[in-house]
Amino acid sequence: MALPAGLTAVAPTHTAHADTATLGELAEAKGRYFGSATDNPELSDTQYTRILGSEFGQITVGNTMKWQYTEPSRGRFDYTAAEEVVDLAESNGQSVRGHTLVWHNQLPSWVGDVPAGELLGVMRDHITHEVDHFKGRLAHWDVVNEAFEEDGSRRQSVFQQKIGDSYIAEAFKAARAADPDVKLYYNDYNIEGIGPKSDAVYEMVKSFKAQGVPIDGVGMQAHLIAGQVPASLQRNIQRFADLGVDVAITELDIRMTLPRTAAKDTRQAADYGAVVEACLAVSRCVGITVWDYTDKYSWVPSVFPGEGAALPWDEHFAKKPAYHAIAAALGGGSPEPGGDCTATYRVTSRWQGGFTAEITVGNGHTAPIDGWTVTWTLPGGQSISHVWNGYLTVDGQKVTVRNAGYNGTLGSDASTTFGLRGEGTAGTPADVTCTPAQPFGTPA
């Protein structure tokens, strides 16, 4: 694991690990799945794959089932990269969502050159070949992705321009012919709340159901912004379910303006909990998938400059408040801290212009804690140049140290330590406080 500059990983003095249910297990107890998308480049990260393989009940193939990878030249199919992800999921006993068959993006250039009179046949052939290849191994397929604009009009993709409105229905028919058992979904972003775009998708699904077009579900991507979860989310899920289709939250992340702060974490956690609760409230909302699970591999910072920290695990694989809010919403415990933690600050050495200190974090509660945050205000003239066994944020004179990935879980009466090197006159701050992350237990 790569650590931030100036941070050294040192084994903690004492940790204890609680026996807890995973998000996948908690969701399964509620009759849902909880999954993660993944992509091939991160599969070489063993810490990443350990969590990916143990925490989730479902996997979405993030990129390598898209047309540019699976049919890079006309009539030449290649499923090598996609198979790597599917094989991994199958070895872990996880279900797989196929993503995606027809999309205006990540198309090989040759598709745009196909004459209008041939494109429908080419699209059908592509769908038939890929769906047949994975037949019997996938739970869901995102058949068509992002076919509408924000105002509810059709996106003018090459398929829309050369085939016309019928291309979406034809894509679903081809997918059903190739696999009669896999669930077929339409998938899009910004359709989580009720508005022009979701209305257009709703009318399309309603029309498909009336015409007998084989559609089984709607995927709401849910690339959301902290503090902006649509108030109509549950009502919108319900109205689609009332049409006789399933709904899945397919690409959930909730981004914030950086830098990350405790207040933003709290807001984000509440939003994650609200999304999970909205899904649980509708019987045909079948599951939730985060768009990868760790900030280390999030797509957000590269697309939205100045934004990020969108996922339930941070870039060092530490569980964030969002994780515990998800677990609580799935029935794994209270979203409020159920225990307490203490932080004892001790100066261990001093010299002219500098010092070192050790902070002991303890859990004096019977319930385990699964993460901690220690804060204090720097005395005048002090600064911190180095921290070990924790992750440091300084905002003016306010210091925040969060647990590392390996020392956040503390059982009853357990403790761990982190240390720091400071500059200035040694002195013990008066306001050192510890805040635990929320614990969770087994399903109710």
Side-chain angles (χ1 to χ4, degrees), residues 114-195:
V114 174
E118 298 178 26
L119 187 57
L120 177 58
V122 166
M123 184 189 75
R124 286 172 173 159
D125 289 346
H126 175 82
I127 293 169
T128 300
H129 197 285
E130 185 163 5
V131 173
D132 181 69
H133 180 85
F134 290 104
K135 184 177 181 179
R137 300 175 70 190
L138 307 186
H140 300 160
W141 259 117
D142 288 330
V143 179
V144 176
N145 196 49
E146 301 176 4
F148 288 87
E149 300 285 3
E150 296 304 303
D151 62 1
S153 63
R154 288 292 190 99
R155 184 186 297 276
Q156 293 302 302
S157 66
V158 63
F159 305 103
Q160 180 68 36
Q161 291 178 355
K162 292 187 178 182
I163 301 173
D165 286 354
S166 66
Y167 88 89
I168 300 179
E170 293 301 324
F172 277 86
K173 292 173 184 176
R176 175 56 72 236
D179 188 340
D181 298 319
V182 70
K183 298 292 187 181
L184 306 180
Y185 276 70
Y186 175 78
N187 191 58
D188 215 329
Y189 65 94
N190 286 354
I191 61 168
E192 299 78 28
I194 295 176

Side-chain angles (χ1 to χ4, degrees), residues 350-364:
R350 66 188 74 204
W351 59 90
Q352 184 67 34
F355 62 96
T356 60
E358 180 182 78
I359 296 86
T360 300
V361 179
N363 176 24

Side-chain angles (χ1 to χ4, degrees), residues 158-408:
V158 63
F159 305 103
Q160 180 68 36
Q161 291 178 355
K162 292 187 178 182
I163 301 173
D165 286 354
S166 66
Y167 88 89
I168 300 179
E170 293 301 324
F172 277 86
K173 292 173 184 176
R176 175 56 72 236
D179 188 340
D181 298 319
V182 70
K183 298 292 187 181
L184 306 180
Y185 276 70
Y186 175 78
N187 191 58
D188 215 329
Y189 65 94
N190 286 354
I191 61 168
E192 299 78 28
I194 295 176
K197 190 173 187 179
S198 63
D199 286 347
V201 175
Y202 176 87
E203 292 300 327
M204 180 189 73
V205 175
K206 183 178 179 181
S207 173
F208 282 4
K209 295 297 288 185
Q211 297 172 41
V213 176
I215 185 169
D216 300 302
V218 172
M220 298 180 180
Q221 293 184 12
H223 294 296
L224 304 174
I225 300 171
Q228 299 182 34
V229 175
S232 56
L233 174 60
Q234 180 181 325
R235 184 157 50 96
N236 194 35
I237 294 172
Q238 185 66 63
R239 70 166 177 161
F240 277 99
D242 290 343
L243 291 176
V245 295
D246 293 337
V247 176
I249 306 297
T250 55
E251 304 182 19
L252 176 63
D253 50 32
I254 303 179
R255 64 187 185 269
M256 64 177 69
T257 302
L258 298 174
R260 178 184 164 202
T261 66
K264 293 174 186 176
D265 276 358
T266 299
R267 175 69 266 173
Q268 181 188 62
D271 290 341
Y272 267 104
V275 173
V276 174
E277 289 168 0
C279 180
L280 292 176
V282 181
S283 60
R284 293 201 71 155
C285 185
V286 296
I288 297 170
T289 304
V290 288
W291 202 242
D292 225 319
Y293 69 87
T294 167
D295 293 336
K296 182 175 182 179
Y297 296 117
S298 173
W299 70 296
V300 170
S302 65
V303 178
F304 299 96
E307 298 181 74
L311 294 165
W313 279 258
D314 73 13
E315 64 271 29
H316 309 296
F317 300 102
K319 296 171 182 175
K320 293 157 63 176
Y323 174 96
H324 302 287
I326 294 167
L330 290 171
S334 168
E336 298 300 324
D340 198 2
C341 63
T342 59
T344 305
Y345 186 108
R346 181 173 67 93
V347 176
T348 53
S349 64
R350 66 188 74 204
W351 59 90
Q352 184 67 34
F355 62 96
T356 60
E358 180 182 78
I359 296 86
T360 300
V361 179
N363 176 24
H365 197 269
T366 56
I369 61 173
D370 199 15
W372 46 262
T373 301
V374 176
T375 61
W376 70 90
T377 303
L378 283 171
Q382 276 193 10
S383 61
I384 297 175
S385 58
H386 184 69
V387 164
W388 53 93
N389 283 1
Y391 296 106
L392 170 70
T393 303
V394 179
D395 184 4
Q397 294 299 107
K398 182 180 179 182
V399 175
T400 301
V401 178
R402 294 183 176 88
N403 61 275
Y406 51 74
N407 65 352

